[in-house]
Amino acid sequence: MRSKPELLAPAGDLERLKIALKYGADAVYIGGPLLNLRANAINFTLDEIKEGVEFAHSLNKKVYVTVNIVLHNEELEELDRYLKNLEECRVDAIIVSDPTIVKEALAKTNLEVHLSTQASTLNIEACKFWKEQGVSRIVLGRECTKEEIKEIIDNVDIEIETFIHGAMCAGYSGRCVMSNFLTNRDANRGGCSQICRWDFDLLNEEKNEIKGDKPFTFCSKDLSMLKYIPDMIDMGITSFKIEGRMRSVYYIATVISIYRKVIDEYCKQREGYTYNKSYEDTLRRCANRDSVPQFFNSVYDSSCSYYNGRVEASNQDFLGIVLEYDEETKIATIEQRNYFKKGDIVEIFGPKHNIITYKVDKIIDMDDNEIEIVRHPRQVVKMKIEDTIYTDDMIRVKTI
């Protein structure tokens, strides 16, 4: 019987780290102040890494730090000091793609080293090579099929981590120079400007423009492996990774909670397990791009990418987050994230209870005035909610 896999969540800051762990992640991966591939993210200071590690360890959970940049000579001088800093923060592992960082971390620290998906590891021999170098876990390239994953697991005694949800790269995970060429921002050093999502003109051999119904792009649809989680558990994958260190707390809470349910439901009753298709609708509502299994089923064709335009509407489902709940008075203090009003029927969800349907009744602002509409960004209001809820619960538009 295969053990339950780790559910690994992204975290762009301390708030998202804590939300991810509260909503069911077993571990989080974060970017530190140096040498990681999210140059445009907020990223963690060393003090914040320490705080995040302490919080995670208090829950018996883990923190991994990305050190996955491709090094240039000038960065070698700061590498050893930074690795020592991470060791002192007691992080559980670092995620690395550059062989120099693998070598230095294993030789000069006690840090556990995971090989990043940026290394594009897709075959048995490459996995054997990295194991011989001392790597303890390999994050496979997202281009692996299920047969390739299974062969690697059966032939190499090493932890295997795979992505199960989130954005895809139009190239081999970051190995793209379009961003460098068109915007002077290096995709391999954390500055990708996502050229694949731009609209392009198409020219024929005579350099005449080819007109279509919609603008041409070549960006990938997102990845979602929700319905294949049972297959992936049975294959023996160690860790299921979700992409999205720059995503919102609502996105993280929603995605983590859904995958947590599917993993737990299958592991609890494998023989009688029934896939709950309604979970797909919940995931779809918190994202703004279509999602497909990508390479997993060996089908990678035009259905996996956007070639004729796309719509990425901003999601407005996230209405607020619970800051505090008084059990005696039943008063919830809520920070607004999107417009809502008296009379709206909403849902409240969180890791400690089932979904609660609630009709917005009386709304009180922080000056004790009764109001009809909550419309100001991050406005804090109070509402009486009879069902017990908790700090960090989320309020969203009611699903159909």
Side-chain angles (χ1 to χ4, degrees):
M1 183 74 68
R2 298 290 189 182
S3 61
K4 188 181 292 189
E6 173 185 83
L7 180 57
L8 176 57
D13 56 26
L14 272 172
E15 181 189 25
R16 283 175 276 189
L17 178 148
K18 293 175 180 180
I19 288 291
L21 296 175
K22 286 181 178 181
Y23 274 78
D26 301 302
V28 294
Y29 64 99
I30 66 176
L34 300 172
L35 310 180
N36 86 89
L37 279 174
R38 282 294 180 269
N40 299 320
I42 299 170
N43 293 318
F44 286 65
T45 65
L46 288 173
D47 286 340
E48 288 171 335
I49 292 174
K50 288 179 183 177
E51 182 178 342
V53 169
E54 288 173 2
F55 179 82
H57 288 179
S58 73
L59 301 175
N60 199 29
K61 298 186 177 187
K62 296 181 178 181
V63 175
Y64 308 140
V65 176
T66 56
V67 193
N68 53 352
I69 201 167
V70 178
L71 284 178
H72 283 234
N73 287 334
E74 63 267 21
E75 289 150 346
L76 288 171
E77 293 182 4
E78 59 189 354
L79 174 61
D80 287 351
R81 181 186 298 275
Y82 181 52
L83 292 177
K84 280 292 184 183
N85 288 336
L86 294 179
E87 183 180 31
E88 290 167 2
C89 290
R90 298 176 56 238
V91 304
D92 296 281
I94 57 173
I95 305 171
V96 178
S97 64
D98 193 302
T100 298
I101 304 179
V102 174
K103 176 185 174 184
E104 293 295 296
L106 293 172
K108 298 179 180 179
T109 75
N110 292 315
L111 289 167
E112 183 174 330
V113 177
H114 296 176
L115 188 71
S116 171
T117 190
Q118 302 299 133
S120 298
T121 308
L122 303 172
N123 64 77
I124 293 169
E125 293 304 320
C127 290
K128 289 180 178 178
F129 169 82
W130 286 113
K131 181 184 177 181
E132 290 171 359
Q133 307 314 305
V135 168
S136 61
R137 178 185 295 186
I138 294 174
V139 188
L140 293 179
R142 278 169 269 198
E143 299 79 18
C144 268
T145 66
K146 60 185 175 184
E147 290 82 11
E148 290 170 332
I149 298 170
K150 185 67 167 62
E151 282 187 273
I152 288 169
I153 291 172
D154 288 346
N155 288 278
V156 188
D157 183 20
I158 194 169
E159 291 185 357
I160 294 296
E161 178 177 306
T162 61
F163 279 89
I164 58 169
H165 198 88
M168 294 285 290
C169 185
Y172 270 84
S173 294
R175 299 190 179 203
C176 172
V177 295
M178 290 288 287
S179 181
N180 306 56
F181 183 75
L182 293 174
T183 67
N184 200 31
R185 288 169 52 183
D186 193 338
N188 295 292
R189 293 174 62 75
C192 182
S193 50
Q194 299 178 329
I195 304 300
C196 56
R197 297 181 188 173
W198 290 13
D199 293 339
F200 288 89
D201 295 329
L202 282 180
L203 306 179
N204 61 19
E205 292 181 357
E206 289 74 34
K207 296 189 177 180
N208 297 317
E209 187 174 354
I210 301 171
K211 288 286 189 180
D213 295 334
K214 298 178 181 178
F216 174 78
T217 69
F218 58 95
C219 95
S220 299
K221 293 179 180 178
D222 281 0
L223 171 72
S224 178
M225 296 300 301
L226 191 69
K227 68 190 297 184
Y228 298 101
I229 290 300
D231 296 332
M232 300 178 80
I233 291 173
D234 290 343
M235 290 164 63
I237 295 170
T238 303
S239 181
F240 291 163
K241 188 171 194 171
I242 291 167
E243 181 275 338
R245 277 192 279 149
M246 298 176 75
R247 300 276 195 166
S248 70
V249 291
Y250 173 65
Y251 177 91
I252 290 170
T254 302
V255 173
I256 291 297
S257 62
I258 291 296
Y259 277 96
R260 180 77 276 157
K261 288 177 182 177
V262 172
I263 292 168
D264 291 349
E265 287 170 7
Y266 179 68
C267 289
K268 183 177 180 180
Q269 192 176 7
R270 301 189 189 210
E271 294 300 323
Y273 172 77
T274 302
Y275 178 63
N276 189 336
K277 201 171 189 304
S278 69
Y279 292 159
E280 292 181 13
D281 299 328
T282 304
L283 288 183
R284 195 175 296 116
R285 288 175 66 96
C286 77
N288 58 3
R289 287 192 295 273
D290 295 335
S291 58
V292 293
Q294 296 290 352
F295 292 87
F296 188 73
N297 287 326
S298 303
V299 176
Y300 192 79
D301 55 21
S302 60
S303 67
C304 298
S305 295
Y306 293 103
Y307 291 110
N308 291 305
R310 68 202 184 281
V311 176
E312 293 188 5
S314 177
N315 182 281
Q316 303 296 315
D317 281 2
F318 182 25
L319 301 179
I321 185 168
V322 177
L323 301 179
E324 186 180 358
Y325 182 74
D326 189 311
E327 183 65 51
E328 290 187 9
T329 64
K330 304 293 183 181
I331 298 297
T333 304
I334 296 161
E335 183 181 82
Q336 177 259 31
R337 294 300 173 92
N338 273 303
Y339 165 104
F340 65 91
K341 65 185 185 303
K342 184 176 179 179
D344 285 349
I345 298 176
V346 302
E347 290 180 345
I348 305 170
F349 73 100
K352 296 181 179 180
H353 58 82
N354 294 325
I355 294 172
I356 296 168
T357 300
Y358 170 74
K359 183 176 181 179
V360 178
D361 186 12
K362 192 174 183 180
I363 309 171
I364 304 296
D365 68 15
M366 297 311 289
D367 295 321
D368 291 326
N369 299 311
E370 187 170 347
I371 59 176
E372 298 287 315
I373 301 171
V374 187
R375 69 174 93 218
H376 304 298
R378 296 195 176 233
Q379 183 177 2
V380 177
V381 297
K382 294 186 178 183
M383 300 189 300
K384 188 168 185 177
I385 301 174
E386 293 294 337
D387 293 286
T388 299
I389 59 175
Y390 301 88
T391 299
D392 291 327
D393 279 1
M394 307 273 176
I395 302 174
R396 68 186 175 203
V397 173
K398 186 181 185 306
T399 54
I400 299 173

